[in-house]
Amino acid sequence: MERIEGRSYIVRLIRGMYRQMIGRIAIYGIALFVFVALAADFLANDRPLMCSYQERIYSPVLHTYTSALGWSSASEVFRDQDYRDLTYDWAVWPPVRFRPDELNLDQSRALPPMSRFERGAHWLGTDDIGRDVLSGLIHGTRTTMAIAVLSMGIAFLIGVLFGIGAGYLGDRRWKVRPDVLVCSFLGLVVLIYSSIWLSNSTLWMFLIILLIVGPYALVRDRWLRGQNRYWSVPVDGTVLRIMEILRAIPDLFLLLAALAIMRNTGIFQIALLIGLLRWPSIARYVRAEVLRIRNAPFIEVAQMQGKRSWRIMWTYLLPNAIGPALIAVVFGMSSAVLIEAALSFLGIGLPASEVTWGSMMSEARTNLEAWWLALFPGLGIFLLIWTLNQAADALLNELQTERRHQTPYF
Amino acid sequence: MSGYLVVRILMFIPTMLGILLISFFLSRQVPGDPVTQIMGESIENPQASGNPFNYYREYDRAARSIDRDIPSFYFSIAPSYLPRSYFSEPHPRFREWYLELGKKWKPRRMIDSFVSDYFKTGETIWRKSDEEERELYLSLEGSVDRNQMIKSLQILTDSFAECSIMLHSLRQMEARATRSVFPGWYWWGGENAFHRWISDLAVLDFGISLRDGRPATARVKEALIWTLLMNGLALLGLLGLGLPIGIWLAISGKSNRTAVVSSVLYAGYAVPSFWLATLLLIFFSTTDWGRSVGGWMLRSPLLMAGETTLVDRLRVLILPAASIVLPSLAFVARQMEQSVSRELGKLYVTTARAKGLSRGRIIWRHIVPNALFPVITWLATLIPALLAGSLVIEVIFNIPGMGRLMWESIFGRDWPVVFTVLVLTSFLALVGQLSADVIYAFIDPRVQFGSQNGGHGKN
């Protein structure tokens, strides 16, 4: 049997998506958001992209990157000066000439869109401490996309793992010898215990494990010769129970409680928590797909050939399961965007100084006159979610047509 | 059928247990010391301020009121050299002391009695002692230097006879040769915080709110009424609007009109509910037209306890319910559409048409009831999402529901209420799920056989 390239399957899915018009729009839309997220510093910054000042050519925007990486030190020429006040020989400016966290405390209230300011126009207005809305939108894309991609990546990994395992192994296929099960369980307890109480003495940890495992491994084969009792691990039942528990607890509540408990919360922690909460939705689809394929002839052939379970899962089930999983991932991304926006709307998770779409909208709540603070960030969220939903829908159509034409991959 | 029911209800228990365990575990990880929170003050260095033993006594009393002076769980797996009082001790400094003493000395019961004698004797002799003696006595606290402690106690015993007990215990302690790294198993029986918590929950005792010291039940009850009303209204809107639209979409087939409606609905699905809520709030409170027409729909923060009549509550809930309904409309309509399409292809429809029944009769008396059941049972799974999603809406529109209660409690560090709300909402969600499954089992006799084959697609 040939080894399947998972990549070409995904590429084919995406190409099929492209054929539909709505899928094309969705792909362009997502590409646009990704571009804005990556190029945020180049689109909205208070310094020129490239300029010639006093007969020398600089690139101040790139300079922020290089100095953050430590490759060059801060330039003396531009220190302590606002880039926009200087007169250049020539300069190439980014489209939006404000940074998202740039305050202007002289302002008494928020400025509506198209207000002229001595440094440039605020095309979408500002909030009441002078932060430009458009710039905040552009930089906020970065945070939102990062959390969406990261959280769904984590959810994908866990969901596919558990989904395939639960679907294929069911409740009876994975059989272990009782002693292995008991030993693993004890080993787990030992590991947790030693990490709590013996963290200063890793030597003790290893010695314990060795002392327990060593002699037992030596006598085990002799002792158990002739005993053939196996216990089956109820993978499916366990995974279903966990999924049910996670489904019963409202997402936002658990997120709030968990984030309130954690000390240092940042993008990674939020993404991790969202991923840990959302993997059931992916696992559900993967499991359904695996259940569908499980009794197919080619799997039976592989089993008769004596292939091990995990080999079957990795080689045959995984490529077929990626399709539905991908759709669930894209849908999940749109809900992750929603959750992240709700979290930053409530002011939880990221530090208050960081500008995201949700935080801008929450400012509108205290500043009801400033409708632009609510409209534009929400519009951004709406467009992103809509694009992601359309993409997922197009993928779904593509998967269904492909399913009608082909038998599963082998 | 009843077999399936029984199994389903039984499976409820481990799930609920899992939720309780998770909530309890999370509630134990909260930062800060909850005892000092309920005492209202925390003294960094009790020794420097008057009589520390009064403070310790107050601390113990506060700890007892929130079940912190007993072990957390039914059992503990911990190093075997720990004295048993370690697990019941609420004050972090004294836990530390138990730990240090246990590491160096044995037997453990001597350590237990030594420390408890420290407290008792301390209170007794405090009034009778002078500055120097007090200092000497307090130097014992937290110390593990046996020789130093014996010397101090010998000096103290000259003045106070009560100290001789402590001296006696101390002399009986001998040094440990090595610390055993093997864990010991401690069994606590029913006297632990978790057991107390779930037995309180079982009789609907939600503990004392840390914020105002009153029982949490009152606030939770009030919040529950608001949340149920709001979600009920939203559900009515969803069903009232979504179902007809879904039916219409399925019956009209593929046409331009349905395509337009579908895409509008789909766009509505992408609208974040809190964005819609904020926009509605802005519209109805700032523009003149909005204020005159819709001012009565908003809840003024000043009238906090004003609304008690149903009409009052409902009028304030119109806008919040609308914000919830609009985004979810697409979902419900789509589910209904799929369900009706499935029904349309079935044989009994052809039969009915062949019998000559009118179109309306077929639709309303035959198709819709059959199509409704999967949709209604699916709706039950919406309940946790509704409860959670309404949080932001409640915050925006200033409705004192469960979501806002949760948020306030988290920010106010009112942990009993936080975890009570968590458990309660999960319980409601589970009950909703369970009732949906029961209804489905009632209606569809095939289910009892299908439940072995991985369920009916709901999991």
Side-chain angles (χ1 to χ4, degrees):
Chain A
M1 304 273 177
E2 36 182 296
R3 179 83 209 198
I4 297 98
E5 300 283 340
R7 214 162 6 115
S8 64
Y9 184 57
I10 294 182
V11 167
R12 259 202 301 150
L13 272 185
I14 296 185
R15 205 170 293 161
M17 219 170 90
Y18 194 72
R19 266 181 253 130
Q20 314 168 38
M21 193 186 87
I22 201 72
R24 208 177 293 180
I25 298 180
I27 292 184
Y28 288 152
I30 296 181
L32 179 67
F33 277 109
V34 170
F35 168 71
V36 169
L38 290 177
D41 277 329
F42 293 91
L43 290 171
N45 218 325
D46 63 348
R47 43 188 73 184
L49 291 172
M50 210 146 72
C51 61
S52 167
Y53 182 68
Q54 293 170 352
E55 304 295 313
R56 288 195 61 197
I57 299 190
Y58 300 93
S59 173
V61 171
L62 283 181
H63 195 71
T64 50
Y65 283 123
T66 52
S67 56
L69 284 171
W71 289 345
S72 55
S73 51
S75 161
E76 288 88 20
V77 178
F78 292 115
R79 209 185 293 203
D80 296 335
Q81 290 175 325
D82 195 314
Y83 288 84
R84 290 169 291 201
D85 293 334
L86 306 173
T87 43
Y88 302 91
D89 307 329
W90 55 264
V92 177
W93 289 93
V96 181
R97 292 186 200 186
F98 297 97
R99 288 241 314 277
D101 46 0
E102 200 178 313
L103 306 178
N104 185 357
L105 298 167
D106 295 330
Q107 272 177 249
S108 53
R109 53 183 198 87
L111 296 177
M114 304 308 285
S115 357
R116 288 239 146 244
F117 197 53
E118 62 250 23
R119 295 232 160 91
H122 291 287
W123 291 350
L124 295 181
T126 74
D127 66 359
D128 54 357
I129 49 177
R131 294 188 287 201
D132 183 41
V133 168
L134 184 55
S135 181
L137 277 187
I138 293 179
H139 282 255
T141 315
R142 192 177 266 195
T143 317
T144 312
M145 295 298 286
I147 291 189
V149 170
L150 209 58
S151 62
M152 275 306 128
I154 295 175
F156 178 76
L157 289 174
I158 303 180
V160 167
L161 183 70
F162 279 10
I164 295 185
Y168 182 68
L169 296 177
D171 275 338
R172 293 188 200 292
R173 191 178 292 273
W174 186 15
K175 294 195 185 342
V176 295
R177 286 232 176 88
D179 55 336
V180 172
L181 202 63
V182 170
C183 277
S184 319
F185 181 70
L186 283 181
L188 196 68
V189 171
V190 166
L191 250 138
I192 298 179
Y193 170 79
S194 27
S195 61
I196 300 179
W197 291 104
L198 298 178
S199 44
N200 294 332
S201 29
T202 34
L203 192 59
W204 280 116
M205 267 168 66
F206 284 123
L207 278 180
I208 292 178
I209 296 180
L210 211 57
L211 276 174
I212 294 181
V213 171
Y216 184 69
L218 289 174
V219 293
R220 176 177 171 257
D221 290 324
R222 216 163 231 274
W223 188 29
L224 289 181
R225 206 172 16 173
Q227 287 192 20
N228 271 329
R229 189 157 15 124
Y230 284 87
W231 286 353
S232 28
V233 175
V235 181
D236 198 26
T238 323
V239 169
L240 282 182
R241 255 336 60 69
I242 299 179
M243 278 173 35
E244 216 175 285
I245 292 180
L246 281 179
R247 198 169 31 145
I249 305 181
D251 289 352
L252 213 53
F253 285 9
L254 195 59
L255 266 180
L256 286 188
L259 281 173
I261 289 175
M262 289 168 67
R263 238 153 304 218
N264 42 345
T265 57
I267 290 188
F268 179 68
Q269 280 86 351
I270 297 181
L272 184 67
L273 281 175
I274 296 182
L276 285 177
L277 277 180
R278 290 242 147 239
W279 68 258
S281 48
I282 302 196
R284 204 172 307 158
Y285 283 108
V286 171
R287 181 174 167 272
E289 181 74 11
V290 169
L291 284 179
R292 206 177 64 88
I293 296 184
R294 196 174 163 194
N295 300 317
F298 70 102
I299 301 265
E300 233 176 280
V301 165
Q303 286 170 348
M304 285 196 293
Q305 283 182 337
K307 290 208 163 91
R308 300 292 182 96
S309 283
W310 78 268
R311 187 112 200 120
I312 296 182
M313 292 197 284
W314 177 261
T315 328
Y316 300 124
L317 292 175
L318 187 61
N320 286 304
I322 286 192
L326 211 58
I327 298 172
V329 160
V330 180
F331 269 126
M333 272 203 238
S334 71
S335 74
V337 167
L338 201 58
I339 292 184
E340 186 272 327
L343 278 181
S344 44
F345 182 86
L346 293 173
I348 298 179
L350 294 171
S353 55
E354 191 145 334
V355 178
T356 64
W357 293 350
S359 72
M360 282 198 284
M361 274 177 55
S362 72
E363 279 171 34
R365 215 164 52 93
T366 48
N367 206 345
L368 285 176
E369 295 288 334
W371 54 269
W372 55 93
L373 286 177
L375 185 66
F376 297 115
L379 205 60
I381 302 177
F382 165 68
L383 284 174
L384 183 56
I385 295 183
W386 185 80
T387 315
L388 284 171
N389 281 346
Q390 295 294 11
D393 229 23
L395 271 177
L396 193 61
N397 282 337
E398 179 58 30
L399 194 73
Q400 281 171 346
T401 43
E402 182 159 318
R403 193 178 288 187
R404 256 182 263 137
H405 295 194
Q406 283 195 8
T407 53
Y409 243 147
F410 68 105
Chain B
M1 205 277 293
S2 53
Y4 175 68
L5 261 183
V6 170
V7 167
R8 196 70 188 84
I9 294 183
L10 278 184
M11 297 208 292
F12 180 79
I13 298 181
T15 316
M16 199 62 214
L17 202 63
I19 295 177
L20 286 172
L21 283 171
I22 293 178
S23 305
F24 185 72
F25 176 71
L26 280 181
S27 74
R28 283 291 172 162
Q29 302 299 319
V30 300
D33 189 359
V35 184
T36 53
Q37 222 179 324
I38 160 175
M39 278 173 67
E41 46 156 355
S42 83
I43 304 184
E44 269 310 307
N45 193 2
Q47 296 195 350
S49 61
N51 187 348
F53 293 100
N54 277 345
Y55 175 70
Y56 294 144
R57 181 179 277 270
E58 284 304 310
Y59 193 92
D60 274 338
R61 178 139 31 111
R64 189 168 317 145
S65 70
I66 53 173
D67 284 341
R68 282 273 172 167
D69 63 337
I70 44 179
S72 342
F73 202 61
Y74 294 96
F75 61 87
S76 299
I77 301 180
S80 47
Y81 55 79
L82 290 177
R84 286 180 78 89
S85 311
Y86 171 83
F87 301 95
S88 318
E89 180 58 51
H91 199 287
R93 181 126 50 98
F94 289 106
R95 282 178 84 105
E96 190 70 31
W97 196 18
Y98 277 118
L99 185 63
E100 294 303 316
L101 284 174
K103 279 185 191 168
K104 302 190 87 160
W105 311 110
K106 61 177 184 181
R108 299 177 299 171
R109 56 188 158 76
M110 283 291 148
I111 299 179
D112 280 338
S113 55
F114 175 70
V115 176
S116 66
D117 288 334
Y118 171 80
F119 285 115
K120 282 196 280 231
T121 323
E123 282 194 75
T124 337
I125 69 172
W126 188 262
R127 271 167 273 118
K128 309 188 268 182
S129 52
D130 60 23
E131 191 67 38
E132 237 178 68
E133 287 163 338
R134 284 182 185 174
E135 215 178 292
L136 199 56
Y137 192 78
L138 288 177
S139 72
L140 292 172
E141 185 176 309
S143 152
V144 290
D145 186 347
R146 182 158 168 259
N147 299 328
Q148 185 65 36
M149 287 202 276
I150 292 185
K151 260 189 257 181
S152 316
L153 276 172
Q154 273 167 338
I155 301 177
L156 284 168
T157 320
D158 293 335
S159 331
F160 308 102
E162 294 93 343
C163 295
S164 57
I165 312 175
M166 292 169 62
L167 195 52
H168 182 67
S169 328
L170 208 47
R171 282 220 177 93
Q172 302 231 302
M173 293 200 233
E174 25 180 67
R176 288 185 178 276
T178 49
R179 272 205 325 264
S180 160
V181 296
F182 289 102
W185 167 273
Y186 299 86
W187 175 255
W188 308 117
E191 274 296 298
N192 59 70
F194 182 72
H195 185 81
R196 289 240 186 109
W197 185 54
I198 58 176
S199 14
D200 282 346
L201 279 183
V203 293
L204 297 180
D205 174 7
F206 298 136
I208 313 275
S209 158
L210 288 183
R211 215 147 69 127
D212 40 11
R214 293 185 307 118
T217 326
R219 299 180 62 199
V220 171
K221 213 188 316 186
E222 180 69 20
L224 196 57
I225 297 180
W226 278 105
T227 298
L228 286 179
L229 268 181
M230 182 166 85
N231 286 325
L233 202 60
L235 215 57
L236 248 125
L238 272 181
L239 293 180
L241 285 176
L243 296 184
I245 295 182
I247 299 176
W248 177 78
L249 277 177
I251 295 181
S252 311
K254 270 194 175 333
S255 72
N256 277 338
R257 253 189 304 172
T258 53
V260 165
V261 171
S262 272
S263 41
V264 165
L265 278 182
Y266 207 52
Y269 179 49
V271 171
S273 56
F274 55 95
W275 184 44
L276 188 60
T278 315
L279 288 178
L280 282 175
L281 184 66
I282 289 180
F283 178 68
F284 281 109
S285 58
T286 50
T287 62
D288 298 323
W289 188 87
R291 245 201 307 255
S292 54
V293 168
W296 52 274
M297 286 200 277
L298 297 175
R299 183 164 183 267
S300 155
L302 299 171
L303 302 160
M304 271 314 204
E307 296 86 2
T308 41
T309 69
L310 191 62
V311 175
D312 267 337
R313 290 196 215 250
L314 282 182
R315 74 170 163 89
V316 177
L317 289 178
I318 297 180
L319 283 181
S323 330
I324 301 180
V325 161
L326 234 54
S328 310
L329 206 57
F331 228 45
V332 174
R334 182 171 276 223
Q335 288 290 115
M336 192 62 187
E337 180 199 348
Q338 282 175 353
S339 185
V340 173
S341 306
R342 254 198 303 260
E343 295 296 316
L344 280 179
K346 291 198 179 155
L347 212 48
Y348 71 89
V349 174
T350 329
T351 316
R353 211 169 280 177
K355 270 169 65 174
L357 293 176
S358 72
R359 191 156 167 268
R361 205 181 163 100
I362 301 181
I363 295 176
W364 289 105
R365 287 192 65 170
H366 297 286
I367 295 186
V368 168
N370 284 330
L372 264 183
F373 290 125
V375 173
I376 297 245
T377 51
W378 167 83
L379 274 177
T381 67
L382 260 191
I383 293 184
L386 274 182
L387 288 173
S390 59
L391 192 153
V392 193
I393 313 275
E394 286 172 11
V395 168
I396 295 177
F397 282 111
N398 194 24
I399 313 271
M402 295 272 265
R404 208 181 73 154
L405 181 63
M406 183 74 164
W407 188 49
E408 282 173 352
S409 309
I410 287 184
F411 276 116
R413 310 271 171 229
D414 193 357
W415 302 111
V417 178
V418 168
F419 292 104
T420 304
V421 171
L422 198 63
V423 167
L424 211 58
T425 45
S426 316
F427 180 72
L428 281 176
L430 274 183
V431 164
Q433 181 74 30
L434 188 63
S435 44
D437 278 342
V438 166
I439 295 178
Y440 205 66
F442 237 33
I443 303 305
D444 193 351
R446 293 174 297 174
V447 164
Q448 47 180 325
F449 305 118
S451 63
Q452 267 77 36
N453 302 337
H456 26 269
K458 246 185 273 306
N459 290 326

